[in-house]
Amino acid sequence: QKEVEQDPGPLSVPEGAIVSLNCTYSNSAFQYFMWYRQYSRKGPELLMYTYSSGNKEDGRFTAQVDKSSKYISLFIRDSQPSDSATYLCAMRRGGGNKLTFGTGTQLKVEL
Amino acid sequence: NAGVTQTPKFQVLKTGQSMTLQCAQDMNHNSMYWYRQDPGMGLRLIYYSASEGTTDKGEVPNGYNVSRLNKREFSLRLESAAPSQTSVYFCASSETQTNSPLHFGNGTRLTVT
């Protein structure tokens, strides 16, 4: 079993929809949680960076961490075609130097 | 301000050939990393350099060597390429080794035939 599980998709939604992307993990030592967006043939770019449990909002994006369930989510409101990309979750231990990535969920937002 | 720059963007090698992937960052970051990305496997750490003058193995170091040339540059060398090393290679940097987010380059797409 992988340390971080992420549904690969593809996930197809209409423009304007609310998108929910999720990851589950097994290592309770993870304390820092990140979401990266990766466009085709580009490198991952950091979207959200959170510590421990709770919510963090940035514009149309909300990251949610539930450490008791070992579950993290990224919500995208009013989704746009420009949001079409692969979304990678990533996490690390407190003070750790190893980032563990999910395999990514491919999202397509259609007009 | 280019961020993290990787060269070359594409490369095709024959089995047994060698090559060096170059990476440079202009953000004055202390730590640098090499990852490979394969379908269904996600990003896996090959080597990292916590600070200038230090390098350490990551999750999948076999078949690779690295050099932290200075604070800006971190290269990855394949001494004898194998088809299993066909992948997309990403360089990343972070301000510190711990608890600071990674910034990635746009990758080198390597095919070994």
Side-chain angles (χ1 to χ4, degrees):
Chain A
Q1 184 188 3
K2 293 178 181 175
E3 262 190 310
V4 178
E5 299 278 359
Q6 188 175 7
D7 188 329
L11 177 63
S12 185
V13 301
E15 184 180 9
I18 296 174
V19 176
S20 173
L21 303 165
N22 311 295
C23 286
T24 59
Y25 62 95
S26 57
N27 189 341
S28 58
F30 287 140
Q31 292 189 28
Y32 292 83
F33 303 91
M34 285 138 273
W35 285 96
Y36 283 85
R37 177 176 61 195
Q38 186 175 20
Y39 291 115
S40 180
R41 298 192 171 273
K42 296 291 186 182
E45 57 178 320
L46 183 67
L47 270 181
M48 302 289 280
Y49 184 75
T50 57
Y51 169 69
S52 196
S53 285
N55 292 0
K56 182 176 182 179
E57 188 173 320
D58 184 1
R60 295 185 296 112
F61 299 91
T62 299
Q64 198 171 75
V65 175
D66 182 350
K67 289 191 71 179
S68 62
S69 301
K70 297 191 182 68
Y71 189 88
I72 69 170
S73 300
L74 178 70
F75 298 96
I76 307 174
R77 289 182 299 280
D78 187 25
S79 56
Q80 304 295 312
S82 58
D83 295 327
S84 298
T86 296
Y87 290 79
L88 306 166
C89 64
M91 47 199 79
R92 63 159 42 129
R93 294 176 292 116
N97 56 20
K98 181 176 179 293
L99 204 61
T100 302
F101 283 87
T103 53
T105 298
Q106 186 181 355
L107 171 67
K108 185 173 183 181
V109 181
E110 297 177 322
L111 290 167
Chain B
N1 189 343
V4 179
T5 302
Q6 292 184 238
T7 56
K9 290 184 172 54
F10 303 93
Q11 185 71 50
V12 179
L13 292 177
K14 294 187 189 309
T15 297
Q17 287 185 319
S18 63
M19 80 161 295
T20 299
L21 283 65
Q22 306 286 354
C23 174
Q25 52 92 9
D26 62 5
M27 295 174 283
N28 201 35
H29 284 171
N30 290 299
S31 301
M32 298 185 74
Y33 312 79
W34 278 104
Y35 284 85
R36 59 179 289 174
Q37 186 176 39
D38 302 289
M41 301 293 290
L43 283 155
R44 292 180 292 168
L45 183 64
I46 305 170
Y47 270 93
Y48 67 97
S49 170
S51 60
E52 188 178 354
T54 69
T55 61
D56 283 289
K57 295 178 181 179
E59 190 181 348
V60 288
N62 291 346
Y64 306 95
N65 285 301
V66 290
S67 294
R68 183 75 182 267
L69 304 169
N70 48 56
K71 190 172 185 179
R72 289 186 64 245
E73 298 173 288
F74 189 38
S75 63
L76 178 71
R77 182 159 179 84
L78 287 71
E79 290 291 351
S80 179
S84 61
Q85 293 178 306
T86 293
S87 188
V88 182
Y89 291 86
F90 288 100
C91 177
S93 68
S94 64
E95 189 172 349
T96 61
Q97 181 191 356
T98 57
N99 304 338
S100 59
L102 271 62
H103 299 264
F104 286 85
N106 282 326
T108 294
R109 282 155 184 79
L110 175 67
T111 301
V112 183
T113 61

